[in-house]
Amino acid sequence: MITITTNIEEYMRNKLSSVMTLAVATIFAISSISCKSSGQSTKHTGPVSSAMVADTLRFKDFKITDLKFSGEPYRLCEQKLTSDEYMSKLQPETPRDYRLDYKFTPDEKAFFFPDKDIKQTAMVKNVQSMFNYVTVGNLVNHAVQLYLRKYNDNSVKSDAEKLKEKRKIIAEDMPNVPADVLERAIPDKQALSSAQLLLDAYRDYDGGLEDENPIWKSVKDYKDNFILFPKLTDYTVVNNSVDFWEWYNKKAYVPEFDVLFKMREQDFSEEEVAHLMRAVEREKDIDRRAILAIELTYHAPSYGLLYLGEIMESGIYTKYLFEVWNVWRAYCQFEYGGCSSFSIIPDNYYSQVKALCINSLLRHIQKNPDGDYSRDLMVAKNLIITECLDRMGSDYGNECISLTYYYPLSFMLQPSALGEDLFVE
């Protein structure tokens, strides 16, 4: 039985969330060019002693101004892609130029290509193919969401007029990926063929919403084919959540983290924000700096975004890169893109910055060939499979509202969910 949904907003919530989305099983739920290191010795000091984190009661009267720091402020790098000036370009220069489909970052910039210093191993090629395979799905997802947001079903028009209007809107936001770029982006030939088939299917899309429309079969096939990629690693160890949390434990770097976490619900004074900013910009341990920068973003997004962006552009590895990127993306959309379902959502730009994080992770892995990097590959895979922001992702606008307002305390990490069944509906 063919079901036609006439409520576009309801359709977007149901169809796109269950069929079009490539990363349906979101592993991380967060209330959430190249810029080289400036030469500062940003180090990993390692976890503090267990005695320092065991007794959280001693922080019951903790105030943010009690947070300790020392030394002088310093920069990790000179920001380009994540500077305030650059992020301001994500919107048209004047309101008169406003267009729902304004695109500052072209489609081909959304793809991941390893930096020149990264060796082209089989694993790196697999990461590249996986990242860019999902990117093609996200390009189509983004285009479908724009079409559904822009098309207004005026029943007065004839079927022929409606079809003409639908095809016009679809053509306006058709993914534009040159063939040579796609071939370079997806080294795996089978995956490349699948990606091309999806792009061709969307070019033939007639705008129909019925469940049996050919586009949805193409999307399902595309999603199903993701399991053909070789596993990045054996997740047996990673799936041990106790082991993973011991590795990911933020209190090992910031003993007061539990208190800071609860403080996300509070409004900070200017003095408190300034104190936290001073702590971030003086911190030389990259993991602790990342944790503090994330917490700053919840209280002062315009400042926190710059510190998070700096971490990503620096190329310096931290185990918290996924969380850094996901919080940064949510607040970047909130601050620079807008919260409406009619807002400009620069998904290509977010993917471009995400690629910086993948380069950092791969570089770290290759510099430590004898280490256990299964957890880092898990972080990389979560970056890879993250879908584009849902244009109808909340009751009042796009997904950035849910990630920054409704669920500020909902960070959930589920390493046991990683494995073969990534796209479980």
Side-chain angles (χ1 to χ4, degrees):
M1 175 178 173
I2 297 176
T3 303
I4 298 178
T5 305
T6 56
N7 185 317
I8 294 295
E9 295 185 5
E10 178 185 351
Y11 179 83
M12 289 180 70
R13 289 195 185 96
N14 295 334
K15 174 64 77 176
L16 290 178
S17 64
S18 63
V19 180
M20 197 65 207
T21 299
L22 282 181
V24 182
T26 304
I27 310 303
F28 287 86
I30 289 196
S31 48
S32 16
I33 31 167
S34 175
C35 180
K36 302 303 180 185
S37 173
S38 61
Q40 293 287 347
S41 179
T42 302
K43 56 186 174 63
H44 295 264
T45 58
V48 296
S49 66
S50 58
M52 294 182 65
V53 298
D55 186 8
T56 56
L57 290 177
R58 63 195 175 101
F59 297 119
K60 63 184 178 67
D61 297 321
F62 176 82
K63 301 184 295 295
I64 196 63
T65 49
D66 294 332
L67 197 65
K68 304 298 183 185
F69 57 80
S70 62
E72 296 297 322
Y74 75 100
R75 299 291 308 278
L76 301 179
C77 70
E78 189 65 33
Q79 287 172 260
K80 297 178 182 178
L81 270 180
T82 59
S83 67
D84 176 70
E85 179 183 8
Y86 194 93
M87 289 188 287
S88 297
K89 296 177 182 178
L90 300 174
Q91 291 280 351
E93 292 184 1
T94 66
R96 281 190 304 242
D97 296 331
Y98 174 79
R99 298 189 304 277
L100 179 63
D101 53 354
Y102 175 81
K103 186 183 294 184
F104 179 74
T105 307
D107 290 344
E108 61 186 87
K109 293 288 188 180
F111 292 105
F112 164 68
F113 295 97
D115 285 343
K116 293 180 180 179
D117 64 313
I118 294 176
K119 297 176 184 178
Q120 285 287 336
T121 64
M123 184 269 284
V124 169
K125 290 180 180 179
N126 188 32
V127 166
Q128 179 180 334
S129 289
M130 291 172 68
F131 184 109
N132 294 329
Y133 187 88
V134 174
T135 298
V136 170
N138 280 337
L139 287 173
V140 174
N141 188 358
H142 179 92
V144 172
Q145 291 194 28
L146 273 173
Y147 159 69
L148 293 174
R149 182 69 289 179
K150 291 163 68 175
Y151 178 67
N152 182 17
D153 186 5
N154 188 338
S155 58
V156 176
K157 297 179 181 179
S158 68
D159 290 342
E161 289 174 321
K162 289 180 182 180
L163 180 59
K164 183 178 180 180
E165 182 179 353
K166 289 176 181 179
R167 290 198 178 278
K168 176 179 178 297
I169 294 174
I170 290 169
E172 288 173 354
D173 301 300
M174 187 71 63
N176 181 20
V177 184
D180 62 323
V181 172
L182 192 64
E183 289 181 10
R184 287 191 299 111
I186 306 180
D188 183 276
K189 298 303 180 184
Q190 187 173 359
L192 173 63
S193 176
S194 184
Q196 189 61 65
L197 286 173
L198 180 65
L199 291 171
D200 291 343
Y202 189 64
R203 290 189 184 96
D204 295 334
Y205 181 43
D206 61 5
L209 305 183
E210 66 276 4
D211 290 340
E212 296 181 7
N213 191 289
I215 188 64
W216 308 128
K217 182 183 184 304
S218 297
V219 169
K220 184 180 184 304
D221 291 344
Y222 194 73
K223 204 171 59 168
D224 290 345
N225 287 341
F226 186 84
I227 65 172
L228 299 178
F229 285 103
K231 289 184 180 181
L232 288 182
T233 186
D234 182 354
Y235 290 100
T236 302
V237 176
V238 182
N239 285 346
N240 181 337
S241 59
V242 174
D243 176 75
F244 182 89
W245 278 111
E246 183 178 344
W247 177 75
Y248 201 82
N249 182 18
K250 291 183 177 180
K251 291 198 294 183
Y253 303 96
V254 181
E256 309 91 343
F257 177 72
D258 285 348
V259 181
L260 291 178
F261 188 80
K262 292 177 181 178
M263 283 181 173
R264 291 183 186 180
E265 298 176 316
Q266 301 176 12
D267 291 329
F268 275 14
S269 66
E270 291 183 10
E271 178 188 4
E272 290 172 320
V273 168
H275 187 89
L276 186 50
M277 285 177 60
R278 287 193 287 269
V280 172
E281 63 190 7
R282 287 165 171 78
E283 184 53 59
K284 289 185 170 59
D285 183 287
I286 190 62
D287 290 318
R288 180 177 168 88
R289 187 175 178 120
I291 294 166
L292 295 178
I294 289 169
E295 296 312 310
L296 173 63
T297 307
Y298 285 106
H299 299 284
S302 59
Y303 296 116
L305 281 172
L306 298 178
Y307 291 117
L308 295 178
E310 184 185 34
I311 290 170
M312 293 185 290
E313 280 205 72
S314 72
I316 300 171
Y317 161 83
T318 169
K319 66 183 71 176
Y320 303 112
L321 272 174
F322 177 85
E323 196 171 348
V324 165
W325 175 79
N326 217 354
V327 172
W328 169 85
R329 180 184 66 155
Y331 278 98
C332 182
Q333 180 62 40
F334 194 93
E335 294 286 308
Y336 292 92
C339 304
S340 169
S341 61
F342 287 95
S343 293
I344 292 169
I345 301 180
D347 285 314
N348 289 348
Y349 170 64
Y350 299 143
S351 184
Q352 184 181 23
V353 175
K354 179 168 69 171
L356 300 179
C357 300
I358 295 294
N359 271 313
S360 298
L361 286 163
L362 291 176
R363 186 176 295 109
H364 169 74
I365 289 169
Q366 292 192 346
K367 285 182 176 179
N368 301 274
D370 297 327
D372 177 9
Y373 50 80
S374 58
R375 300 170 190 85
D376 293 312
L377 284 174
M378 193 196 93
V379 172
K381 195 154 192 176
N382 277 275
L383 279 162
I384 288 169
I385 67 173
T386 303
E387 62 187 311
C388 58
L389 285 174
D390 190 343
R391 188 168 289 279
M392 296 298 297
S394 81
D395 292 337
Y396 301 102
N398 68 58
E399 189 179 9
C400 82
I401 297 178
S402 298
L403 295 178
T404 60
Y405 182 73
Y406 286 121
Y407 310 111
L409 304 179
S410 67
F411 176 68
M412 289 169 49
L413 181 59
Q414 301 173 10
S416 60
L418 277 175
E420 297 182 1
D421 301 322
L422 287 170
F423 302 126
V424 179
E425 295 185 10

